[in-house]
Structures are given as structure tokens and as C-alpha cells.
Amino acid sequence: MAAPTSPALALLALCCPHCHEGRLFTHSAFNLAHFTDMPAQCEVCAVPLEPEPGFYWGAMFISYGFNVATVLAVGALLYWLGGDPDVWVYVLTVTVAALLLAPSALRYSRALMLYWFGGARYRYNPGRPRERAAQEATLT
Ligand SMILES: [Zn+2]
């Protein structure tokens, strides 16, 4: 499969923002023991995937936004499609939906953090040789 040239498509596929080919996560989102695992650097372009220690703390705020959107969307769907059920149905359904979507929310939050706040090093550059990227990674 060819690498997507669009940053939005690369983000949706959870690919490296620099080369749009390498994967940001080593395991599937369904692997609950390892769904947060990221390689130290991109397997294709060798750009480091954690720009600095604690870089992904900001992803918590993005994840919070995803969870609020989930609560609002599920609540609205229940209200309109479910005929405004009892409160316990809202609470149970929203809780189950938030728990099921938690791995994806975490992964997309981290990806958005890297795409939005990674800086110039993470701009799309498909022609960048792997060796040069590796040298830059060791210099910084
Ligand atoms: Zn890459």
C-alpha cells in the first residue's frame, strides 16, 4: 500500500507524521496489554516518536475532549433514537461506550499531539533518507 500523501489520512491510519509510512504503535488497539506501546523511532524514517520526555502528557487533554464528545454523542443518540430512557440507561451506555473507545481515544490523542505540536522535525518529507534522520536523532 502506498503511503498517504494527505496528513489527515496518515493521521487516521496512525502513521508517522514525517514519512506517512511507519506505524506509530507496535500493537493493535485490541491488545489491551500493549495498545499504548510505541516504538522509540519510526521504523521507516527513524525520526524519534517521543520528541522529549513527557511530551504525551498533553494528549490527556485531547483524550478528555474525545471522551466529552463520546458522552454528548451517545447521550444525544439515546435521547433521539431511544426515546429518552431512564438515567441508568444513559449512565450505563455512556460508560460502556467510553470504555470501548478508550484505546482509540488514547492512540488518536497521541497522534494528534505529535502532528500538531511535534514541530518542524515532524513535517511531511517523504524523500528524507533514513540514514540522515538517524544521524540527526543521535545529534539531538
Ligand atoms: Zn517515519
Side-chain angles (χ1 to χ4, degrees):
M1 186 180 90
T5 55
S6 161
L9 291 178
L11 174 67
L12 281 176
L14 294 173
C15 291
C16 167
H18 191 69
C19 66
H20 290 187
E21 290 182 43
R23 309 293 304 168
L24 288 180
F25 294 92
T26 55
H27 295 82
S28 160
F30 300 108
N31 185 339
L32 295 181
H34 297 284
F35 73 91
T36 62
D37 293 354
M38 299 176 77
Q41 62 185 25
C42 176
E43 64 200 24
V44 175
C45 70
V47 74
L49 294 179
E50 186 167 5
E52 60 191 41
F55 177 77
Y56 291 111
W57 275 81
M60 285 190 305
F61 298 102
I62 301 171
S63 182
Y64 175 75
F66 280 139
N67 280 311
V68 169
T70 300
V71 167
L72 293 176
V74 170
L77 284 175
L78 274 175
Y79 180 79
W80 284 310
L81 300 178
D84 194 15
D86 291 338
V87 171
W88 70 267
V89 177
Y90 281 105
V91 171
L92 182 67
T93 308
V94 164
T95 303
V96 168
L99 287 175
L100 289 176
L101 294 175
S104 292
L106 181 140
R107 292 160 75 102
Y108 281 106
S109 300
R110 285 188 176 191
L112 280 171
M113 192 74 194
L114 198 56
Y115 274 74
W116 286 344
F117 303 110
R121 178 195 266 179
Y122 294 93
R123 287 202 189 102
Y124 181 47
N125 186 359
R128 185 172 187 232
R130 181 187 167 92
E131 293 79 22
R132 196 174 110 214
Q135 288 172 351
E136 286 180 15
T138 57
L139 292 176
T140 57

